[in-house]
């Protein structure tokens, strides 16, 4: 349902769960920001236009692009927020992060508004997710879509160097945790099997104590980070819709998940990558969003950020 998708927007759930997730700030984006994201070329707004070295007025297509948009207020507020985050921020917009733009900003660790503009414009996830966010919803009609919330928000989350091995995707059906998948499906982590019982117990306790029936939807997906043993404390990362168009089932399939009956589940099904995968292998989900290193070398740029500029 459209309401279930809206429940998973960051600004919708963060106030209720901020005590168990990473410190974040939410900034409303101007109404014309989505048009900026949908532009075919990558360019900075006029408020970020560097002064001409010659002092003469520049001409050309890139200058026309510059003049279309100005987000001075957004830039001022974002700069203040970044200044208060010692190690920078991880960013997202409503539902999705700019993970496919990691080639623009290494580690997705943002320290400037320029990096944010570059990643948002280079990301395919952000505009496509905005356009297709309600696709596959049972109640998607022109009338329902017209009343949906089209406000975009920039979310700046305090950056943490998390261990990818301890991130998990959890599937909830009819208010019951039915399945858990390791989130990084590109490699095996032996500790996930060695500590299987403790991890399942920690996630199940986190769900039943913190999330169960406090999140408005009956069916949804949430991502959680579990501190390495012996702490085993859970940290909420995000919520995702129970929607094949928006959420990757990772080591499961949507056919498998939709076929599971909550009343038949005693303990959540737990899947990790096998140490010696035979039939099941999965490439890194961001591998197709990389760029040829030859392009950077040909320009003499010392970094990808300089190359993008």
């Amino acid at each position: 349902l459209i309401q279930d998708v809206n429940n998973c927007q960051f600004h919708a759930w963060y106030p209720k769960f901020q005590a168990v997730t990473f410190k974040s700030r939410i900034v409303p984006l101007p109404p014309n920001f989505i048009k900026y994201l949908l532009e075919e070329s990558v360019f900075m707004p006029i408020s970020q236009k560097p002064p001409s070295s010659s002092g003469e007025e520049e001409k050309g297509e890139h200058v026309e692009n510059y003049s279309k948009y100005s987000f001075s207020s957004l830039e001022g507020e974002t700069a203040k927020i970044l200044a208060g985050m010692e190690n920078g921020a991880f960013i997202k917009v409503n539902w999705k992060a700019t993970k496919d733009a990691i080639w623009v900003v290494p580690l997705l660790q943002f320290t400037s508004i320029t990096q944010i503009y570059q990643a948002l414009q280079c990301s395919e996830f952000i505009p496509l997710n905005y356009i297709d966010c309600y696709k596959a919803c049972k109640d998607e009609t022109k009338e329902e879509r017209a009343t949906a919330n089209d406000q975009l928000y920039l979310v700046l989350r305090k950056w943490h160097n998390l261990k990818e091995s301890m991130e998990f995707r959890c599937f909830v059906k009819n208010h019951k945790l039915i399945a858990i998948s390791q989130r990084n499906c590109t490699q095996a982590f032996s500790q996930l099997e060695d500590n299987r019982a403790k991890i399942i117990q920690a996630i199940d306790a986190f769900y039943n104590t913190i999330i169960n029936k406090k999140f408005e939807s009956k069916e949804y997906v949430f991502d959680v980070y579990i501190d390495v043993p012996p702490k085993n404390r859970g940290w909420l990362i995000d919520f995702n819709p129970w929607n094949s168009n928006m959420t990757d089932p990772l080591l499961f399939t949507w056919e498998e998940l939709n076929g599971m009956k909550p009343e038949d589940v005693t303990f959540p099904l737990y899947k990790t990558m096998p140490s010696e995968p035979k039939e099941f292998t999965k490439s890194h989900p961001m591998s197709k969003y990389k760029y040829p290193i030859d392009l950077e070398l040909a320009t003499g740029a010392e970094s990808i950020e300089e190359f993008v500029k």
Side-chain angles (χ1 to χ4, degrees):
L1 301 178
I2 285 178
Q3 186 58 53
D4 292 325
V5 174
N6 286 339
N7 289 344
C8 293
Q9 294 187 87
F10 188 87
H11 66 276
W13 64 260
Y14 179 71
K16 183 179 291 187
F17 296 100
Q18 59 183 311
V20 293
T21 190
F22 308 113
K23 181 181 178 182
S24 306
R25 296 287 299 275
I26 304 170
V27 182
L29 291 170
N32 62 334
F33 201 86
I34 187 62
K35 292 183 179 180
Y36 171 66
L37 294 182
L38 294 175
E39 291 282 358
E40 293 184 359
S41 58
V42 177
F43 60 89
M44 295 295 104
I46 193 171
S47 46
Q48 289 285 303
K49 180 178 179 292
S52 172
S53 57
S54 63
E56 297 180 359
E57 185 177 350
E58 296 181 63
K59 297 180 180 180
E61 181 182 354
H62 71 288
V63 177
E64 293 180 8
N65 286 337
Y66 268 127
S67 64
K68 287 182 181 179
Y69 305 97
S70 179
F71 307 118
S72 299
S73 178
L74 167 66
E75 292 159 13
E77 186 172 359
T78 302
K80 290 179 181 178
I81 294 172
L82 289 173
M85 294 183 172
E86 184 179 355
N87 295 317
F90 177 85
I91 70 165
K92 63 179 298 179
V93 176
N94 290 43
W95 295 280
K96 293 291 184 180
T98 58
K99 289 187 175 182
D100 56 332
I102 195 169
W103 60 277
V104 179
V105 182
L107 302 179
L108 297 176
Q109 186 175 8
F110 294 83
T111 57
S112 72
I113 186 65
T114 300
Q115 291 177 323
I116 292 175
Y117 280 139
Q118 290 171 345
L120 288 175
Q121 278 214 311
C122 290
S123 173
E124 293 182 14
F125 288 1
I126 302 302
L128 286 178
N129 189 236
Y130 172 81
I131 294 169
D132 295 337
C133 58
Y134 300 112
K135 189 176 180 180
C137 289
K138 296 176 183 178
D139 59 341
E140 188 194 23
T141 63
K142 290 183 178 179
E143 292 76 16
E144 288 288 342
R145 182 64 181 87
T147 59
N149 183 12
D150 286 338
Q151 172 65 55
L152 279 181
Y153 295 89
L154 173 65
V155 178
L156 297 99
R157 314 203 68 187
K158 186 177 180 180
W159 194 86
H160 293 271
N161 189 16
L162 303 179
K163 292 182 179 295
E164 288 190 334
S165 60
M166 300 307 291
E167 295 182 32
F168 301 90
R169 175 152 292 179
C170 309
F171 302 85
V172 176
K173 194 173 186 180
N174 196 21
H175 296 300
K176 189 165 186 177
L177 178 61
I178 63 169
I180 301 170
S181 169
Q182 80 176 65
R183 204 165 174 225
N184 180 353
C185 301
T186 62
Q187 64 184 108
F189 301 100
S190 59
Q191 68 268 30
L192 298 188
E193 283 302 318
D194 296 341
N195 296 290
R196 166 186 282 261
K198 290 181 179 179
I199 291 172
I200 294 175
Q201 183 180 20
I203 294 176
D204 190 59
F206 180 82
Y207 167 70
N208 284 300
T209 304
I210 304 297
I211 297 177
N212 189 18
K213 296 187 178 178
K214 297 182 180 69
F215 188 72
E216 288 77 1
S217 300
K218 292 175 61 178
E219 296 182 343
Y220 55 93
V221 180
F222 70 93
D223 296 330
V224 64
Y225 180 79
I226 302 297
D227 279 331
V228 293
K231 290 183 179 181
N232 290 329
R233 177 179 175 179
W235 294 92
L236 179 61
I237 297 176
D238 208 354
F239 285 102
N240 302 281
W242 187 283
N243 184 317
S244 60
N245 189 59
M246 293 184 68
T247 305
D248 189 338
L250 300 181
L251 295 178
F252 294 92
T253 66
W254 277 112
E255 182 180 7
E256 180 181 11
L257 292 166
N258 286 323
M260 294 176 68
K261 297 180 179 180
E263 60 271 21
D264 295 337
V265 177
T266 304
F267 298 101
L269 185 59
Y270 177 78
K271 284 191 178 184
T272 63
M273 283 291 293
S275 56
E276 295 182 3
K278 296 179 180 179
E279 297 180 0
F280 186 91
T281 56
K282 194 165 186 174
S283 62
H284 195 287
M286 298 301 112
S287 60
K288 66 179 180 180
Y289 297 105
K290 296 180 180 179
Y291 70 101
I293 191 65
D294 300 27
L295 291 178
E296 184 179 317
L297 296 175
T299 63
E302 295 182 0
S303 68
I304 182 57
E305 292 175 334
E306 185 179 332
F307 168 70
V308 171
K309 291 178 182 177

